Amino acid sequence: MTVTPPATTEGSAADAVPVVQVRDLHKSFGDNVVLRGIELDVTPGEVVCVIGPSGSGKSTLLRCVNQLESATSGTITVLGAEITDPDINIDAVRQHVGMVFQQFNLFTHQTVLENCTIAQRKVLKRSKAEATKVALHNLERVGLADRGSAHPTQLSGGQQQRVAIARALSMDPSIMLFDEPTSALDPELVGDVLSVMRDLAQQGMTMIVVTHEMAFAREVADRVVFMDGGVVVESGPPAQVIGDPQEPRTRAFLDRVLNPTHTDEGPAAA
């Protein structure tokens, strides 16, 4: 099995070979059908934001891309490797795919620096000195270079999420997956995390982001995918999907999200 990180090309995004290919993806949990024939391509350097109501299958799709959930049927190819092949060495693929979850999943008994070096040393077999150098560089990228000796419990939620991003970046991923990374944060802490993600996008990181932050999706995404009921309802540039949605389900969802005071009985009382 060969995992091929994306090469830099001078062609347009339309000419690029996708680093993620999802074909006719179905996923069920018992009788509960969550994904119904998903098709998705992601090209090198592309930022794809996946939006939609709760229960639409967004997070399940993301977890299937990293094989944290196994597809019921269909195929997923990541960096040239078909991860739905039962014989795949999924750990070899995951070395190139970083994932940031809603919860930070940091080791509370370890320092920030230790959290960012342990996988490098155990999986990539880097020396302590090399792993530390890489970790400090990525902690600087997320604005936490001075907190390496702190423990996660000494940090705010936003800082912990930025450490989780630095930890993922320290593995030198070709693709970053974000599963609603700000949903567990207090509103005043969201901005710093989104700022880090903006910087990653500007630096050319390939990203699939499940998010409810419409302003972020509008500003940063190359493409927005709206899901509902386990299917892709609409997909296109942010100006189209968020600014001028064509599908009634997309319009109804955005109306609820962008106009939260609106109800079926009229605007909420002041």
Side-chain angles (χ1 to χ4, degrees), residues 22-29 35 38 60-61 63-76 82-86:
V22 179
R23 295 289 179 269
D24 196 25
L25 177 63
H26 293 256
K27 175 62 180 177
S28 299
F29 296 95
L35 299 177
I38 299 292
T60 300
L61 168 61
R63 291 173 67 84
C64 285
V65 169
N66 206 19
Q67 199 68 333
L68 296 175
E69 297 288 354
S70 298
T72 301
S73 64
T75 61
I76 304 172
E82 186 189 325
I83 65 169
T84 41
D85 182 338

Side-chain angles (χ1 to χ4, degrees), residues 1 3 65-68 78-79 81-83 85-98 119 122-124 171:
M1 182 210 69
V3 178
V65 169
N66 206 19
Q67 199 68 333
L68 296 175
V78 177
L79 298 168
E82 186 189 325
I83 65 169
D85 182 338
D87 297 324
I88 191 71
N89 180 356
I90 190 61
D91 291 334
V93 180
R94 286 186 183 137
Q95 289 184 30
H96 302 276
V97 181
K122 289 185 176 294
V123 178
L124 302 183
M171 298 297 286

Side-chain angles (χ1 to χ4, degrees), residues 221-249:
D222 297 299
R223 183 155 45 100
V224 173
V225 173
F226 172 67
M227 289 182 62
D228 191 16
V231 301
V232 172
V233 176
E234 190 164 354
S235 175
Q240 173 193 315
V241 176
I242 298 177
D244 186 24
Q246 303 302 300
E247 297 293 331
R249 278 193 282 178

